Amino acid sequence: MGIYLNSDNTLFQQALNSRIYIDKSNLIAFTNSVLYTEEKAICVSRPRRFGKSMAANMLTAYYSRGCDSKEMFRDLKIAKSKDFEKNLNRYNVIHINMTEFLIETDSMEEMLQLLQKSILFDLLDEFPDIRYFDATKLQRSLRDVYAAKKTPFIFIIDEWDCIFREHKNDSAAQKKYLDFLRNLLKDQSYVALAYMTGILPIKKYGEHSALNMFHEYSMTNAEPIEEFTGFTEEEVQNLCKKYQMDFQKTKQWYDGYHLGKYSIYNPKSVVEAIGRKRFDNYWTQTETYEALKVYIDMNFDGMKDKVTQMIAGERVPINPGKFQNDMTTFSSADDVLTLLVHLGYLTYDYDTKTVWIPNSEVQQEFINSIEDGGWEPVMDAIRKSDELLQATLELQSDKVAEMIEQAHQENVSILKYHNENSMTCVLSLAYYSAKKNYVMYRELAGGKGFADLVFIPRKGCETPAFIAELKWDNSAKTAITQIHEKQYVNCLQDYTGEVILVGVNYDKDTKKHTCIMEKICKD
C-alpha cells in the first residue's frame, strides 16, 4: 500500500462517518460497465464543492488492492449489483490529486517530474521483484508491471484541470500537460479505467485533440450519470423530512441545476443548511463575488442584455458548441455564459439550448456582482421592487404604472421594447423582490390560454396571488378583459383566496404605461 498506488479507504470512510452522507455508490455500477472497453476513459466535470473528490475517494476505496472494503460497501446500493464482488479491491489503483503537485512546484516541467517520481516510488516499492527496463520512466515501468503481473491499472485523477484554472494563459505548459496525459493513458494495455474529475471539460489544441478517447460528462450534458452530479430532489426530500427542514425553502434556495430528467440540488449548500438549521449563501461563500463579476462585465455585444434578462428570471438561448473549454478564450457572450454553466453560476437545458440562474443562492451572487458600478438602472429597479409589490397589493394602479414606466425608461438601453415579450422581461425585473414570497411563472397555462405573468404565494405567505396581463399598443382594460374571458384564474389550481388582476398597456407613441387592477376571490 502506497500514498498514490493502492492507497487505503480512509478518505471514503470519512465521508461515511459524516452526519449527512448520500449514497452515490451506483456510480460504481457505471464504471464497472465500462472497464476495459472503448468507453473506459471518463472525464467528469462539475462545479467546485459538488462532490468530485468524494466520488474519486469512493472509487479508490472500491477498486484498490491496498485495502479490504467489503464491509464498508455492504449496506450501500452498489452491494446489490451482480458485479459488486467481481471488481471489489481487484485492481492496481493510482489515485492522484493534481492540485497537490501543482502547488508544490514552480513550473510544468517540475510538476510532471514530481508526479512521475512520486508514482514510481510507490510502484517500485509495491513490485520490487519486477525486472524493469528503465525504472526512471513511468509509462515503461507500468507496462513492465502489467506484463509481469497481468493486473491492470485504474487511474483516478482528481482536479485534473487545475493547471487550466491556475495558469490560464500558459498555453505551452498546458500543451505539455496534455501530452503527458495522452502518453500515459491513450492506447495503453495496462489501463482498465481512467476516471478524471475537474471543473472544465477537456481543452483541445489542434493535434492535442488526441485526448478525444475520453468520454465527457459535464454540466451541459451529463447523461447517463447526471444523478451523481449532486443531490436529487428525492434525496433532498428525504433529508428535509429526517432533519425537519422546510423542503420548499430548500428547493427555492438550492435547487435548479437542470441535468437530463433530474433537477439537481447544490450538495454543499444543502448539507450546510441542514447542519446550521438556517438558509443562507453557503456555496457562494467559498469564492468571492468578484470571480463572477469579471465574466459578466465582459464587453461582448448583448452580454448585459442577457444577464439582465436572467436576473429578471428569464432564460436566454446560447450556443455552447464554440466554447474552447478554458477560462481565457472568449469570442462571444455565448462563450462566457457557457463557462458560467461549468462554474455552477448558470444551468443549461440541452434540449432548448437555454441557460438561466438556477436558484436564490446564485441569484444573490449575481446581485452582489452588479451592485458596484455599471448596472445602476437594473439595481434601481431591484431596490424599488419592494415598493412596487406593496403598491400592487394595495391596488394603487397609477403608482404601479408609474413605477413600471420608470423601470422601462431607465433600462431602455438594455431591454428595448419591441413587443409584449420584452414588456414581460421588464415587469419581471421590476417585481424582483416578489420572488422571496412568491413563485413566479411566465406564460402559465390555465383556462383558455396562457397568462403572461403569474405570482403564487409560497407556503406560509398570506398575501394574495396576482396575475398580470400585458398589452403593447392596446389598452389596460383589454388586458383585464382577457384575464376574465380566458379564465386565467384557473391556472391557480391549488390556490384559494384573494387574487389581484393586473392589466398593463404600453403606448409606443406616447411611451406611456397605463394600469388597471381589480381584486377577486377564488374558491
Side-chain angles (χ1 to χ4, degrees):
M1 182 180 70
I3 298 175
Y4 306 104
L5 172 64
N6 294 336
S7 54
D8 61 22
N9 51 27
T10 301
L11 292 177
F12 183 54
Q13 184 63 59
Q14 291 176 13
L16 294 176
N17 293 344
S18 300
R19 180 188 181 193
I20 295 175
Y21 169 74
I22 297 295
D23 185 356
K24 297 290 184 178
S25 62
N26 271 341
L27 174 63
I28 298 171
F30 173 75
T31 56
N32 278 343
S33 73
V34 300
L35 286 171
Y36 250 135
T37 70
E38 293 297 322
E39 294 81 38
K40 66 184 178 182
I42 298 169
C43 183
V44 176
S45 57
R46 64 182 72 152
R48 55 192 164 79
R49 306 308 300 272
F50 265 64
K52 297 186 296 294
S53 295
M54 189 282 292
N57 295 335
M58 177 182 71
L59 293 175
T60 298
Y62 175 76
Y63 288 116
S64 174
R65 294 174 62 248
C67 53
D68 182 354
S69 302
K70 185 174 183 179
E71 189 67 18
M72 176 181 289
F73 284 96
R74 183 186 62 182
D75 297 326
L76 300 185
K77 294 176 182 178
I78 188 59
K80 299 177 182 179
S81 170
K82 61 182 178 62
D83 292 329
F84 170 60
E85 292 197 31
K86 174 183 176 182
N87 297 301
L88 179 65
N89 301 132
R90 300 294 177 90
Y91 292 86
N92 291 315
V93 174
I94 295 176
H95 181 186
I96 52 182
N97 186 317
M98 284 297 182
T99 303
E100 173 187 340
F101 297 96
L102 180 65
I103 63 177
E104 290 185 6
T105 53
D106 296 323
S107 68
M108 180 53 61
E109 191 73 36
E110 288 184 22
M111 176 185 142
L112 295 180
Q113 287 178 358
L114 177 61
L115 173 62
Q116 294 178 80
K117 186 175 180 180
S118 300
I119 298 174
L120 279 168
F121 181 83
D122 283 355
L123 194 69
L124 298 177
D125 186 59
E126 179 87 2
F127 303 104
D129 56 325
I130 298 296
R131 185 183 177 204
Y132 294 96
F133 177 80
D134 185 347
T136 66
K137 304 294 184 182
L138 178 58
Q139 288 95 324
R140 183 57 191 261
S141 296
L142 290 169
R143 292 192 203 106
D144 292 340
V145 171
Y146 178 64
K149 300 295 184 179
K150 300 303 181 186
T151 300
F153 289 84
I154 287 178
F155 291 82
I156 299 173
I157 304 175
D158 202 6
E159 301 289 352
W160 86 272
D161 63 333
C162 61
I163 181 64
F164 297 95
R165 292 183 275 119
E166 297 300 323
H167 298 286
K168 302 179 180 69
N169 299 304
D170 193 346
S171 59
Q174 293 170 7
K175 290 178 182 178
K176 184 175 292 186
Y177 176 54
L178 291 175
D179 280 339
F180 169 77
L181 291 177
R182 178 186 59 193
N183 295 335
L184 178 67
L185 302 172
K186 186 172 184 180
D187 298 329
Q188 299 287 4
S189 59
Y190 56 72
V191 178
L193 175 72
Y195 181 92
M196 300 201 309
T197 76
I199 294 176
L200 296 173
I202 293 175
K203 171 69 179 174
K204 299 176 177 65
Y205 287 103
E207 73 276 7
H208 290 79
S209 60
L211 284 186
N212 60 11
M213 75 280 197
F214 276 92
H215 294 259
E216 298 195 57
Y217 305 91
S218 72
M219 297 301 285
T220 57
N221 186 3
E223 295 182 86
I225 59 173
E226 63 269 37
E227 67 178 290
F228 307 116
T229 302
F231 290 173
T232 65
E233 186 149 298
E234 180 181 0
E235 291 164 347
V236 174
Q237 284 178 328
N238 292 336
L239 285 174
C240 287
K241 183 177 180 180
K242 179 178 179 180
Y243 293 100
Q244 299 180 319
M245 291 289 287
D246 187 318
F247 170 69
Q248 291 302 325
K249 283 189 176 180
T250 305
K251 182 179 180 66
Q252 176 186 352
W253 273 86
Y254 310 123
D255 185 22
Y257 292 96
H258 184 86
L259 290 164
K261 64 181 179 180
Y262 291 92
S263 185
I264 296 295
Y265 289 65
N266 186 316
K268 160 72 175 176
S269 297
V270 170
V271 169
E272 289 281 358
I274 290 175
R276 298 169 185 263
K277 296 293 183 181
R278 184 184 297 274
F279 297 103
D280 203 350
N281 302 334
Y282 296 113
W283 176 74
T284 55
Q285 289 176 2
T286 63
E287 190 167 27
T288 62
Y289 75 87
E290 285 91 347
L292 173 60
K293 183 175 178 60
V294 166
Y295 296 111
I296 66 175
D297 280 346
M298 285 188 170
N299 189 28
F300 288 108
D301 183 46
M303 186 66 178
K304 193 168 237 183
D305 187 9
K306 292 174 186 289
V307 171
T308 302
Q309 289 180 58
M310 290 189 292
I311 289 174
E314 304 285 318
R315 300 185 179 198
V316 301
I318 68 166
N319 174 14
K322 299 185 298 178
F323 181 57
Q324 295 298 301
N325 297 352
D326 64 27
M327 304 180 81
T328 58
T329 310
F330 305 114
S331 58
S332 68
D334 285 358
D335 292 338
V336 178
L337 298 179
T338 303
L339 173 62
L340 295 183
V341 172
H342 293 296
L343 295 178
Y345 291 109
L346 299 175
T347 189
Y348 173 75
D349 187 318
Y350 183 86
D351 294 323
T352 63
K353 303 294 186 290
T354 56
V355 294
W356 65 97
I357 299 172
N359 53 47
S360 296
E361 181 180 33
V362 182
Q363 183 90 11
Q364 185 57 51
E365 195 73 353
F366 272 85
I367 301 303
N368 294 341
S369 299
I370 69 172
E371 200 164 11
D372 300 325
W375 298 77
E376 286 81 3
V378 178
M379 284 305 304
D380 186 57
I382 290 172
R383 292 187 184 104
K384 293 178 179 177
S385 58
D386 277 327
E387 185 180 354
L388 175 61
L389 176 60
Q390 190 60 36
T392 303
L393 297 177
E394 294 174 359
L395 274 69
Q396 299 181 46
S397 300
D398 292 342
K399 185 172 183 179
V400 168
E402 178 185 345
M403 295 190 71
I404 292 173
E405 184 172 306
Q406 182 181 3
H408 168 217
Q409 290 174 347
E410 291 181 349
N411 290 283
V412 69
S413 62
I414 302 173
L415 299 169
K416 300 178 177 64
Y417 269 9
H418 298 295
N419 49 38
E420 292 170 19
N421 187 61
S422 298
M423 280 183 67
T424 305
C425 186
V426 170
L427 206 62
S428 299
L429 182 65
Y431 278 108
Y432 177 84
S433 67
K435 298 173 188 176
K436 290 183 290 188
N437 295 318
Y438 288 85
V439 180
M440 184 185 77
Y441 295 95
R442 211 183 139 173
E443 294 292 328
L444 184 62
K448 302 176 182 178
F450 296 84
D452 285 338
L453 278 175
V454 179
F455 294 80
I456 303 176
R458 296 184 185 274
K459 181 180 178 182
C461 180
E462 302 300 326
T463 53
F466 61 100
I467 300 172
E469 183 64 25
L470 314 175
K471 291 299 176 184
W472 187 69
D473 217 25
N474 201 312
S475 73
K477 183 178 180 180
T478 301
I480 290 289
T481 301
Q482 182 171 318
I483 294 175
H484 285 293
E485 289 182 349
K486 294 197 173 183
Q487 303 172 7
Y488 287 157
V489 72
N490 290 337
C491 69
L492 305 172
Q493 294 180 355
D494 299 320
Y495 174 83
T496 57
E498 293 182 328
V499 182
I500 297 173
L501 310 183
V502 183
V504 178
N505 179 65
Y506 171 69
D507 189 309
K508 68 177 182 179
D509 293 326
T510 65
K511 312 298 184 187
K512 292 292 184 181
H513 293 71
T514 53
C515 176
I516 294 178
M517 304 172 67
E518 64 178 75
K519 184 182 290 186
I520 63 173
C521 187
K522 179 179 181 293
D523 297 326

